[in-house]
Amino acid sequence: MVDFAQARRMMVDGQVRPSDVTDRDLLAAMLDVPRERFVPDALASVAYLDRDIPIDGKRALLKPMVLARLLQAAQVGAGDHVLDAACGSGYSSAVLARIAASVVALEDDEARARRCGEILGSLGVANVTIARGPLEAGWPGLAPYDVILVNGAVEVEPHGLLGQLKDGGRLVTVRGAGPDGKAILYRKDRGEIGSRTLFDAAAPVLPSFMRAPAFTF
């Protein structure tokens, strides 16, 4: 039998803290949220390993270190309104719910969105709104957002999401496929969007943000 509380502590102490994650509220949230509840039962025993954990054929929980560093870079505050795009089964939404005022958990698949709502409901998470729609379109009905997390890698600029940031808002994601991926922080300042590279990071590319195949003749 896996001691999940101990596994959670080892994840934070062995993977997250050594990656220069020092935000106390974020660390407390990751110590509190039962990551094993958000993966298929057959993978619960490996939920805390230093790797992406698949939840189905198209989504995965990001590596704990990558997720933590993205959220720390986004500087999520207690009063922030957050969009969690490609929320999957809702793990990142549960973490965000503990450090932000409100979260919109967006998925493009009905079954996945329903499962996300069921898990969050069973954990008593009350400040997350489940939304279903195209990821690239965001969720304009509850925009603008202080922070947007894109849970996966993008190959094209997420223009639809960037347009839903408040002034001063931040979007974090991984740009690029495979080992060449880079964690990116976008920031909206006086209506202009700027970006900077944060660190090397690999994450599964989200189909909604894949680059269109180039034609060759």
Side-chain angles (χ1 to χ4, degrees):
M1 179 69 73
V2 177
D3 183 340
F4 289 116
Q6 178 64 17
R8 205 170 301 130
R9 170 64 67 179
M10 291 177 64
M11 175 191 75
V12 171
D13 289 346
Q15 301 173 41
V16 178
R17 291 184 193 272
S19 299
D20 296 324
V21 177
T22 58
D23 185 299
R24 293 183 179 182
D25 293 334
L26 175 56
L27 292 170
M30 297 189 78
L31 282 169
D32 188 44
V33 176
R35 186 173 164 94
E36 74 277 5
R37 294 283 298 277
F38 296 88
V39 301
D41 291 343
L43 296 178
S45 63
V46 298
Y48 294 94
L49 295 185
D50 181 25
R51 71 185 200 194
D52 302 322
I53 306 295
I55 58 173
D56 59 28
K58 292 185 178 180
R59 291 284 184 278
L61 301 192
L62 295 181
K63 290 174 61 174
M65 177 275 289
V66 172
L67 177 64
R69 292 187 71 182
L70 285 173
L71 294 183
Q72 178 167 268
Q75 297 180 316
V76 184
D80 283 349
H81 179 46
V82 181
L83 175 64
D84 186 10
C87 64
S89 55
Y91 174 72
S92 51
S93 299
V95 172
L96 283 162
R98 283 159 171 76
I99 56 178
S102 58
V103 180
V104 177
L106 176 63
E107 257 302 336
D108 58 7
D109 176 80
E110 182 176 358
R112 200 178 295 126
R114 182 171 60 251
R115 180 60 177 153
C116 174
E118 290 171 352
I119 297 173
L120 294 176
S122 72
L123 295 174
V125 179
N127 60 335
V128 175
T129 299
I130 308 299
R132 178 175 172 261
L135 302 180
E136 66 275 16
W139 197 250
L142 292 175
Y145 302 97
D146 298 286
V147 173
I148 298 176
L149 168 68
V150 182
N151 256 293
V154 303
E155 293 181 322
V156 296
E157 296 285 342
H159 293 297
L161 301 181
L162 291 169
Q164 294 175 26
L165 286 174
K166 291 181 181 178
D167 197 55
R170 292 82 66 200
L171 182 150
V172 285
T173 188
V174 174
R175 187 165 64 195
D180 295 328
K182 305 286 185 184
I184 302 292
L185 169 67
Y186 294 88
R187 182 181 293 272
K188 186 175 184 179
D189 184 20
R190 298 180 183 179
E192 299 293 327
I193 300 291
S195 67
R196 65 183 177 92
T197 300
L198 299 171
F199 55 92
D200 293 339
V205 177
L206 296 166
S208 299
F209 298 99
M210 284 182 173
R211 183 178 294 108
F215 290 101
T216 57
F217 298 92

